Structure formats: structure tokens, C-alpha cells
Amino acid sequence: MKEEQIRELLEDMSTEEKIGQLLQLTGAFYADEGLATGPMQQMQLSQEQVEQAGSVLSTVGAATLKKIQTAYMEKQPHHIPLMFMADVINGYRTVFPIPLALGCSFEPEIMRKTSEISAREMARAGVHVTFSPMVDLVRDARWGRVMESTGEDTYLNRCFAKAAIEGYQGAGVGTKDHVAACMKHFAGYGSPVGGREYNQVEVSERSLFEDYLPAYKTGVDAGTKMVMTSFNTLGRIPCTGNQELMKGILREQWGYDGVVISDWAAIHELIEHGVARDEDEAAYLAMQAGVDIDMMTNVYALHLKDQLASGKVTMDQLDAAVYRILNLKNELGLFENPFKDADESYDESKKPDGEHTKYAREILPETFVLLKNDGILPLSKEPVDTCKSIAFIGPFMKEIDVCGAWSFFNRKEENVTLEQAVNERELSMPYTIEEGCHTVPYGMRFVGIRGEVVNPYTPEELGVLKANAVASAKQADVVVMALGEHSFFSGEGGARTQITIPEHQMELFRAVAEVNPNIAVVTFSGRPLDLREVNEKAKAILHVWFPGTETGHAVMDVLFGDASPSGRLSMSFPYCVGQVPVYYNELHTGRQYIDGTETSRFFSKYIDAPNHPLYVFGYGLDYTEYRYDNLVLDGNQVTKDRPITVSVDVTNVGKRAGKEVVQMYLQDLVGSVARPVRELKGFEKVALSAGEKKTITFTITEEMLRFYDRNMNYVSEPGEFKVYVGGNSDAELSAGFQLV
Ligand code: GLC
């Protein structure tokens, strides 16, 4: 429709219709013929209010959504179509690695492509908006939702946020096989105190602007069509009712004029937070903050009319919200085609699209991080002296839930397990496969957001599993163990105070290590883990996160050397949970301590652990090695008008081809406020064949040196700087330069 037609429609709508557009319900309200009475009564909604709702979430399927849309539009006075939204975070039918793993690829192009494929699959299933990307900066491995982020670095998150939104939205959300992105959670949700889910967030204004907000700003600039509020408080004001944040920064400073949707029930939770006396006040606060859609509560539906009558909320405010929603529906083309790309045939296809799963298998090694390798990997495909037989042991050999906490629409039986992939290989040497234990401890019935996981074995059965595993380890030359936390141990509501591999699995690991030291461990998780003990006793550790549909194939491709791991950590792995939050770009403090240097007590350190994480941001090994040298600057002074170029030679000094992530960090030695010890400002993933050398260049501009000064002005300040280039955030190859 044309702009003026939207305006005319808006004018013609009743107040009830307008308020209805701000209501979002799940498909359960529309599932059976007319309307489900249960949820409706529970929310004290009338049948008419349900019929006036503007959007539906969490229900998918071309046939189902077409049916709901048809029935709904018949009843809708102006036949305004519904918008269908869902959490497609790392894939719809073809599930890709969790975002924290995608961040490890240091290849935003992979994020773009996986987002594009996900858009195609979900659009065919009738979805119009995805509640993705999540661009929250994360530094606390205790928090369960770190798995949804691309990590601890602002610059890396910005690159991935842009790529995801462009992948989902393409040349326009109305184009075929594209959807609207809903960037979340605005803002600062990734740093709850204690890593505890939904807890308050306490960051300084400068840290908020310096570290947390830039990725959201990049998402707005990339054209995200929707922004979701976050559950947490910022400055002790819940974001969903925070005018300064939602209107002041998002709309007025950044010029965002798209739709804002609350997180689930977050408007009603303003009461729980203690900033709204009742639903009336909650409705008022959220409207003043410019929140357009009320996800799954009745606050707007039941109270906006009174707010309008009292003049607390104006019709202009309501019209502005409704206009943004109608405008998005129009951009999606829903007035012309309310079903958009819904295609039943695609939905009922017997298995995921082969091209999509092929791409998934291809990119997975780029997200796997080789944390340790004493040479045991890659395994030989043919029997050799050191490896004439292999024992595959661990619960993740058979685990099919390998897609992460948000893989609602994945059909688990389509996921390739490690066991399946090993058997497909028809190895030319004897091997065994033993589960050894279950992913979750005995007696645990664990409820996640996608159902529950139960350890089905009796103690006797578990004893037999373990005995068989140890016996198989004794017989074999090499052991490959597949261990990790179940996907329900992370994701929303998945905060942990310990970040180790579950103890019952560690008992299995110790028992195996007792009888065979030649162990390579494949670890699965939705967060950085405390891997100290595994690091001590295993000869190799390949961290694969939750890889998705093609898990088994890709893990075996890497274990047997058909592909090399080229992931680099997007989030630091702590030495232990006591270090958390731990991240590379910290401040110097007044008593900087480098492990092992000072014996004096009075430095910024612990008496019972090092400062250094077990594995730092940007770290990862390969099946080959790289040498950096010849760091050259083409000048030693940067000005506003004249950048300088940094070049470095990177040589593959090993025997195998590989991909290195060349990283450039900058350090501002003195500023009007304390500055981080270094910050990632550039990276390039480069393929190098054995012996090959390439010269990689980066440009240092004055803009890269800007920060929020004492008066919160975003400026650069003349002075001394250092540039570091290398393969992780500990890079030592450096040079000095000035900003003048
Ligand atoms: C959840 C999550 C949010 C998700 C929404 C809809 O509570 O916080 O990320 O998109 O509800 O499922």
C-alpha cells in the first residue's frame, strides 16, 4: 500500500482496533477452530480482543499460519493481516552453530549466509519476523544466554550484528525468502549481576556507551525493522519502561523509527520490578517509553483505553505506535499478500534442504576451536603405529540434542550424531563406541524451554555403561571422548554457578584417563567452561559448542583431518568460575599485575588463582602453525585526515593448509579517562597453504581512536598509541604511533 493509504486506514480504525494492533499473542489463541478459551480467560481477554490482536508469536508452519491468517482476516474489521514472529536464532530446519560459535569463525560472511538460509526456511514456514540477532555483549560465563551472543568484544559483535540483519532482510523485507530482523535485547541484558538470569545490570554510563550500546547502534544503522526491550534494569530503571533509553537514545539520538516490542511479559513485569503500582501504570510507562507491541500480556489491551480517556496517553502516541506496526506489515507486503512466502510443500519436505546442510557442514570447522593439541590430532584414517584402534566414548557420541537452547524448530532425528558419522566412515581400523554415561546426571529430570531431559538409566545400568567404556579405553590405542553440558544447561533461565563439565561426566573422564593417556576430548557447551582438569589430562581438546544439524559429520571431518579447525574464541575461557567476569579488554588498574611477575601482595590479583584466563579471547590452534613478522607502519603519526597503514607478514610454517585469523588491537597509552589495555579494531581470516606467506594490511584511522571522554563526548585525544598484531588477544608483535 502507499503511505497515504496507511494513513487513511489508520484514520478509519476504531480505538479498539488500534489497541488491538499492539497486542501479541501465541498461536494457541487461534489454534482450534475459533479461539482457545483457556489462555483467553487466563488473560481476561474477550474474544473480540483476541480477534483484534496485531501479531502472533511462536507458531510456525505454512498450513497452520495460512489457516490462522485466513480466519483472522475474515473477522478483522479492516482485514488487516497478522504478522507472524518466531525465535529463529541459529537456524530453522537446518540448524547452524549457536551464535557464540559463529562469532568464533571471525567471518561475518558466514553469519550473513546462515541468516539468509534461515530466512528462506522460516519464510517458507510462514514466518515474517525473527527475534534475532541477539547482540548483547557478554562477559560472564555463568549467564546461560551467552550462547546467543557473538561474544565479549564490541567490534566483533558489531560486525556480526550487521551481517545477521543484512542476511535476514536482504534487499528488503518484502522480497522473497527474507524476513524482518528483531534485534535484541535493548539494552545491556548480557551483564546481569552474578550472571544470574534477569538480574539487575550495573554498568557505568561510560561503559554502557563504550562497550554495550555500539552493537545495537550498528544494528539500527544496518536497518533492523524491530527492536526488543530487555528484561533488566539499567540505572535501576527497567528497560521496558526506560524513556531515556528507549526514546532518548534509540529513537531521538539514533533516529530509529521502527517497531519496538517488549520482551515476553516485560510490560507487566514493570509491576514486579516495583516501578509500576498496577497494570494501569505499567501501560503508561511502557507507552511513554515508546514500546509499540505488548508481548503476551493484556496490559495494553485492558488499560490503554482508560489511559486515553484520562489523557495520560494521547491518541497521537497510540497512532504513532499503530502506524509503525502497519508500516512494517506494509513493508513486508502483507496487505497485498498476507501469506508472503508460506509454502506448504517446503514445510512438509522429508528432510532439510541438501544445499543448506552442505553449507552447514562446510562452515562448521570455522567455528570449532582447537584449544589443545599435543599432536594426537588429526587422527590417521589408516592404522599407524600410534593408532591402530580407537575407542569413542561419551554421552555426546549418541546425543541428538546438539543445536542449542533455541532450536525450537529443529527435528532432532535429522541431526547427525557423532556415532552415525563414525559408522558412515567405515574406518579401516577397529573402533568401539561407548556412551559411558548420560549427558545429565542420574536421577535428573531437567526442564528446559523446549521440554525436558531425563537420565533414563538405573544405577546398575550406569555402572555397566562406565565399565564398558573403561574396558574399551584399555583396549584401544587412542580414545576420543565427547563430553559437555546438556543444551538445557544454557540458554534462557540457564545460569550456572559452576561452569565445569558435569561431575558425573568428569568421573568417566578420570576413569578413562587412568587406563589410557591418549585422549582427545571433543567438548560441547553453550558457554565457556572451566576445562582445567581436561586441559591437564587430555592430549587434545576440540571445543565445538552446539554445532547443529551437521554435528557428527563436521566433528569427524575435523578429527580425521578432512577439514582443519579455524575457530578463535569469541569469549574468554576462565581459569575458574572465580575469575568471572573475565575479558581481555579490561582496564589497567592502578596496580596492574602480570601472572608470575610480582610476589608482593599489593597488586591487582588473586591469592589462589592467576589473572589470566585458561584460554584468551581470539585464541585457537590449527593443524598447522603461523609465524608473524615484519610489522611495518607506513608512518608513525595519525591525523584526522591521514590514517596510517599497518602491514604484517603471516607465514604458514606447518605442513598443512589452514586459515589464520589475523587480529589487530590498539592501545591508547594515556587518555582523559582510563583506557582498556587493548581493543580489537581489525581482523582478517586468511587462508594459507603450507609454507605460504601473505602480507596482511590494516588501516588505522583517527576515528578508531575515539572514546567517551570525561564529558561523555565521543572524541579522540592526541597522544601515544600501540598497535598489536597476532593470532589472539595476547599478541606481542607491536609498534608505537601517535595521534597528532
Ligand atoms: C523470551 C526471550 C526473548 C524471546 C522472547 C520470545 O523470554 O527473552 O529473547 O525472543 O521471549 O520467545
Side-chain angles (χ1 to χ4, degrees), residues 514-528:
E514 280 286 312
V515 300
N516 192 329
N518 297 320
I519 306 174
V521 183
V522 181
T523 46
F524 291 74
S525 76
R527 58 163 49 85

Side-chain angles (χ1 to χ4, degrees), residues 247-302:
K247 278 179 87 171
I249 296 173
L250 181 64
R251 293 199 188 279
E252 289 158 14
Q253 278 184 39
W254 295 355
Y256 176 68
D257 61 1
V259 176
V260 171
I261 185 170
S262 78
D263 202 335
W264 188 291
I267 294 180
H268 195 277
E269 288 178 8
L270 294 174
I271 302 169
E272 192 85 9
H273 274 290
V275 299
R277 266 177 215 80
D278 51 29
E279 292 177 352
D280 221 32
E281 192 170 2
Y284 171 74
L285 289 174
M287 279 300 281
Q288 298 313 318
V291 179
D292 301 319
I293 297 179
D294 178 1
M295 183 192 291
M296 271 307 281
T297 77
N298 55 14
V299 172
Y300 276 179
L302 301 187

Side-chain angles (χ1 to χ4, degrees), residues 368-374 541-542 564-568 618-626 659-660:
F368 293 172
V369 187
L370 185 61
L371 297 173
K372 179 179 182 181
N373 187 19
D374 289 356
I541 304 173
L542 179 69
S564 293
S566 60
R568 303 291 185 266
Y619 169 82
L621 301 174
D622 198 325
Y623 286 156
T624 185
E625 288 179 7
Y626 304 96
K659 289 184 179 177
E660 169 66 331

Side-chain angles (χ1 to χ4, degrees), residues 57-58 87 131 145 148 184-185 189 198 228 231 263-264 295 406 492:
L57 82 156
S58 303
D87 291 282
F131 294 132
R145 301 191 74 169
E148 299 173 52
K184 65 188 185 184
H185 307 79
Y189 183 25
Y198 312 126
M228 185 186 293
F231 289 119
D263 202 335
W264 188 291
M295 183 192 291
W406 282 101
E492 184 172 357

Side-chain angles (χ1 to χ4, degrees), residues 440-459:
V440 300
Y442 168 68
M444 176 181 265
R445 174 183 295 274
F446 198 85
V447 181
I449 37 181
R450 283 177 295 112
E452 65 175 26
V453 58
V454 181
N455 181 332
Y457 299 114
T458 64

Side-chain angles (χ1 to χ4, degrees), residues 362-513:
E362 185 185 302
I363 58 111
L364 272 168
E366 309 245 8
T367 69
F368 293 172
V369 187
L370 185 61
L371 297 173
K372 179 179 182 181
N373 187 19
D374 289 356
I376 193 172
L377 294 180
L379 300 172
S380 162
K381 292 177 191 155
E382 306 300 327
V384 291
D385 283 353
T386 52
C387 181
K388 296 184 289 302
S389 59
I390 302 173
F392 293 95
I393 298 171
F396 273 91
M397 286 306 298
K398 297 171 183 281
E399 178 60 66
I400 59 172
D401 187 344
V402 287
C403 296
W406 282 101
S407 51
F408 282 111
F409 314 109
N410 166 244
R411 300 177 193 176
K412 287 200 193 71
E413 67 280 6
E414 293 173 353
N415 300 336
V416 179
T417 63
L418 271 63
E419 176 179 48
Q420 180 189 335
V422 173
N423 291 332
E424 279 176 10
R425 278 187 164 264
E426 297 172 356
L427 293 179
S428 55
M429 67 180 90
Y431 67 91
T432 55
I433 297 175
E434 297 291 348
E435 204 175 358
C437 65
H438 190 264
T439 324
V440 300
Y442 168 68
M444 176 181 265
R445 174 183 295 274
F446 198 85
V447 181
I449 37 181
R450 283 177 295 112
E452 65 175 26
V453 58
V454 181
N455 181 332
Y457 299 114
T458 64
E460 296 69 29
E461 287 166 332
L462 289 170
V464 172
L465 286 179
K466 189 172 178 180
N468 290 347
V470 174
S472 70
K474 256 186 194 152
Q475 303 304 320
D477 289 335
V478 167
V479 177
V480 173
M481 293 196 81
L483 307 170
E485 57 173 18
H486 188 275
S487 77
F488 285 4
F489 281 49
S490 55
E492 184 172 357
R496 292 181 68 193
T497 57
Q498 291 303 329
I499 54 172
T500 49
I501 290 174
E503 185 53 20
H504 72 290
Q505 293 186 38
M506 288 306 293
E507 286 166 5
L508 174 67
F509 170 70
R510 293 181 196 111
V512 168

